[in-house]
């Protein structure tokens, strides 16, 4: 007899008590365990039936115990049904396969294979037909409730681009190390899951008032009935309030979610504290109304100190310091304020959501909770968002898609002026721009924004050679900029440009050499825009060309002349949008002459009452003959 046959026979006789007819222990041989596998030495297994009601030290079967058939009947049916048994299968390599049987009446087809990692005495993952549970050292299996599928994606923390798999760099902005893992799925209880953790809707919506009736679709006429669009928005009074209201589109919309971003120290907290004080005064309703200012970065005493410095003493302005969203919304709901300010969204957190405050999941879920609060209660909410090194709001770009309005606070570190720009506005235009100046009392409105970019002019000085004034538009506002040019013969530097696109400057210089006949080949040309502003639109082409001609011809441009127009490759002058508004701005600032394209001269109305002369030119040769001769 061969050795393999002897081993199989010995294994069979060793476990013959399992097949003893007196014990009445029928075994259903599934495809997993067959009689042929017992005869194969490579697949020899030991069988053990464990009763969980017995102690762990007992490993053998009691001869007097009731039968433990699978799918069979027993005289003591009640006893068998109340007991739970586990079939544990061991192979020769030491791996354990365990399957828990719920009751003695279950059939072998209902059992599931449980694959457990090697090693005993530890808890490992076990697989139940596509679902995962836990298996312990004693063969017991903890079955978990089936959860919804989770979709894992990778989101760029800089630009918000999402991808199904990880890449070393973002495929949208090409930034390295910005792809963060984000998983969100659906669960059976209607909640959402972030990074593998379930978030119940009851956690997020526990602060919402319970409504007795379900919300049903309404007709458009029923929604707009009784609403006056003129008085729908919350007005902001005073010069400061008018400037902010114009950027918002005419006022603050009830139930809106406004996000304010900006560099550290730009004045975001000061801006929102002044807005909260104006709303709390309630000039439009004839009395004060409560407004809550919540800060997760400062204490109540620190906010009060800043308000005292700004001379804000509104009684209905409530200050609160907290970082728990549920606590904040619970306190705010009791006061029923007219507006809510949260400073900042990166410092608050929501219980039940994985991650620390400021993380990807926390920022998204907190913003969504505040959005639902604003829509349910019709209370406008202001959020302050930190920005990254590139100037974008920190966190995913999905934050900007959730909110209704996105405002950016801009300003140089060494300048006291601040610009409030609207990037997104669901209730108004994004072309508006607010100009403020940071003072000891807070932000003050700048009545004449063009003063920021103009310097004192003295026509008797030779320093003004190469200086021209351009008129640009930023949103719905027009500004006057000073363009400086310097032509230096024999310079080792061919060209240096600041504030003007390099490609646009090269084209203007080439047109002057070809169409106007200026010998600029042997000169180093330096261009600069005063105050560090970037000249983005083509309306400043004529001023750039006039500054270069002035420096090359060494002829100062007379004081009181402004230039508006675009230059083509043939040297011709082309009109630009909003010519009338640009000329009106030039006239209000006291300029006596304005050089414009010939095609725009006839379309402009008569401005005799403003005491300004409009000169139309067809090409650059006419401009040179008009200004420098």
């Amino acid at each position: 007899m061969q050795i393999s046959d002897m081993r199989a026979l010995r294994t069979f006789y060793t476990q013959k008590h399992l097949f003893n007819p007196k014990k009445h222990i029928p075994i259903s041989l599934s495809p997993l365990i067959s009689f042929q596998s017992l005869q194969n030495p490579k697949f020899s297994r030991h069988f053990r039936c464990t009763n969980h009601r017995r102690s762990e030290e007992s490993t053998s079967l009691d001869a007097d115990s009731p039968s433990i058939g699978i799918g069979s009947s027993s005289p003591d049916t009640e006893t068998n049904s109340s007991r739970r048994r586990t079939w544990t299968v061991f192979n020769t390599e030491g791996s354990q396969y365990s399957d828990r049987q719920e009751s003695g009446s279950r059939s072998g087809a209902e059992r599931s294979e449980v694959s457990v990692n090697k090693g005993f005495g530890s808890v490992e993952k076990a697989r139940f037909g596509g679902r995962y549970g836990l298996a312990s050292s004693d063969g017991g299996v903890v079955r978990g409730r089936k959860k919804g599928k989770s979709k894992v994606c990778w989101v760029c923390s800089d630009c918000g681009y999402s991808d199904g798999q990880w890449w070393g760099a973002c495929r949208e902005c090409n930034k390295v190390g910005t792809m963060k893992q984000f998983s969100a799925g659906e669960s059976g209880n209607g909640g959402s899951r972030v990074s593998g953790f379930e978030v119940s809707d009851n956690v997020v919506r526990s602060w919402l008032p319970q409504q007795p009736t379900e919300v049903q679709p309404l007709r458009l006429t029923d929604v707009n009935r009784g609403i006056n669009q003129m008085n729908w928005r919350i007005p902001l009074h005073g010069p400061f309030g008018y400037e902010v209201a114009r950027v918002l589109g005419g006022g603050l919309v009830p139930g809106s979610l406004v996000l304010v971003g900006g560099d550290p120290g730009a004045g975001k907290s000061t801006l929102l504290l002044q807005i909260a004080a104006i709303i709390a005064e309630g000039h439009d309703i004839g009395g004060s109304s409560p407004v809550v200012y919540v800060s997760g970065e400062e204490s109540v005493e620190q906010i009060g100190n800043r308000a005292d410095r700004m001379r804000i003493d509104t009684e209905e302005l409530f200050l609160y310091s907290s970082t728990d969203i549920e606590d904040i919304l619970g306190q705010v709901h009791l006061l029923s304020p007219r507006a809510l300010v949260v400073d900042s969204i990166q410092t608050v957190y929501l219980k039940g959501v994985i991650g620390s405050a400021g993380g990807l999941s926390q920022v998204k879920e907190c913003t969504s909770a505040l959005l639902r609060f604003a829509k349910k209660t019709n209370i406008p909410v202001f959020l302050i968002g930190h920005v990254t090194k590139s100037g974008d709001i920190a966190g995913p770009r999905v934050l900007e898609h959730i909110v209704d309005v996105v405002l950016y606070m801009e300003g140089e570190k060494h300048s006291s002026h601040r610009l409030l720009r609207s990037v997104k506005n669901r209730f108004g235009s994004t072309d508006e721009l607010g100009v403020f100046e940071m003072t000891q009392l807070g932000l003050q409105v700048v009545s004449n924004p063009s003063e920021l970019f103009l310097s004192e002019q003295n026509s008797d000085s030779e320093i003004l050679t190469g200086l021209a004034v351009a008129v640009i538009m930023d949103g719905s506002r027009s500004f006057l900029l000073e363009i400086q040019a310097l032509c230096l013969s024999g310079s080792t530097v061919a060209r240096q440009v600041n504030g003007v696109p390099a490609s646009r400057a090269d084209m203007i210089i080439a047109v002057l050499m070809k169409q106007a006949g200026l010998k600029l080949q042997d000169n180093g040309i330096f261009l600069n825009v005063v105050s560090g502003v970037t000249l983005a639109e083509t309306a400043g082409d004529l001023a750039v060309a006039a500054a270069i001609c002035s420096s090359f011809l060494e002829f100062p441009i007379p004081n009181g002349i402004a230039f508006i127009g675009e230059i083509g490759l043939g040297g011709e002058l082309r009109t630009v949008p909003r010519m009338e508004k640009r000329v009106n701005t030039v006239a209000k600032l006291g300029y006596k002459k304005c050089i414009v394209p010939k095609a725009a001269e006839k379309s402009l109305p008569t401005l005799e009452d403003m005491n300004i002369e409009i000169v139309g030119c067809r090409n650059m040769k006419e401009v040179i003959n008009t200004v420098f001769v």
Side-chain angles (χ1 to χ4, degrees), residues 601-617:
E601 182 183 9
K602 298 179 180 180
S603 61
L604 292 174
T606 58
L607 301 175
E608 298 179 356
D609 54 339
M610 293 187 180
N611 194 18
I612 185 173
E613 180 184 359
I614 300 177
V615 180
C617 300

Side-chain angles (χ1 to χ4, degrees), residues 4-20 29 34-36 38-40 44-47:
S4 61
D5 297 334
M6 294 178 65
R7 290 179 178 175
L9 185 61
R10 182 173 58 207
T11 303
F12 178 77
Y13 279 102
T14 303
Q15 306 294 337
K16 64 181 181 178
H17 63 278
L18 296 174
F19 301 94
N20 190 356
L29 298 179
S34 62
F35 185 77
Q36 289 78 4
L38 295 175
Q39 295 179 351
N40 192 343
S44 63
R45 294 175 172 86
H46 302 281
F47 297 84

Side-chain angles (χ1 to χ4, degrees), residues 17-18 20-25 61-68:
H17 63 278
L18 296 174
N20 190 356
K22 296 181 180 181
K23 298 293 181 179
H24 298 287
I25 310 176
L61 293 173
D62 189 1
D64 298 334
S65 63
S67 61
I68 49 175

Side-chain angles (χ1 to χ4, degrees), residues 515-564:
Q515 305 299 339
L518 300 181
K519 305 295 183 179
L520 301 175
Q521 293 84 351
D522 300 332
N523 289 266
I525 300 176
F526 301 86
L527 290 175
N528 179 49
V529 179
V530 178
S531 300
V533 181
T534 301
L535 188 62
E537 60 174 342
T538 60
D541 291 352
L542 185 55
V544 173
I548 295 174
C549 294
S550 174
S551 179
F552 180 75
L553 299 175
E554 296 183 356
F555 190 95
I557 297 177
N559 191 9
I561 298 180
F563 299 87
I564 307 173

Side-chain angles (χ1 to χ4, degrees), residues 184-194 197-202 204-205:
E186 296 179 356
S187 58
N189 57 359
S192 60
R193 185 171 60 207
V194 182
F197 287 77
E198 290 188 4
V199 182
S200 175
D201 289 343
N202 296 330
V204 180
R205 301 178 182 177

Side-chain angles (χ1 to χ4, degrees), residues 496-528:
Q496 183 68 38
V497 179
N498 293 324
V500 181
S503 58
R504 200 71 188 173
D506 294 341
M507 187 205 72
I508 295 173
I509 294 172
V511 169
L512 291 177
M513 290 189 296
K514 177 67 176 178
Q515 305 299 339
L518 300 181
K519 305 295 183 179
L520 301 175
Q521 293 84 351
D522 300 332
N523 289 266
I525 300 176
F526 301 86
L527 290 175
N528 179 49

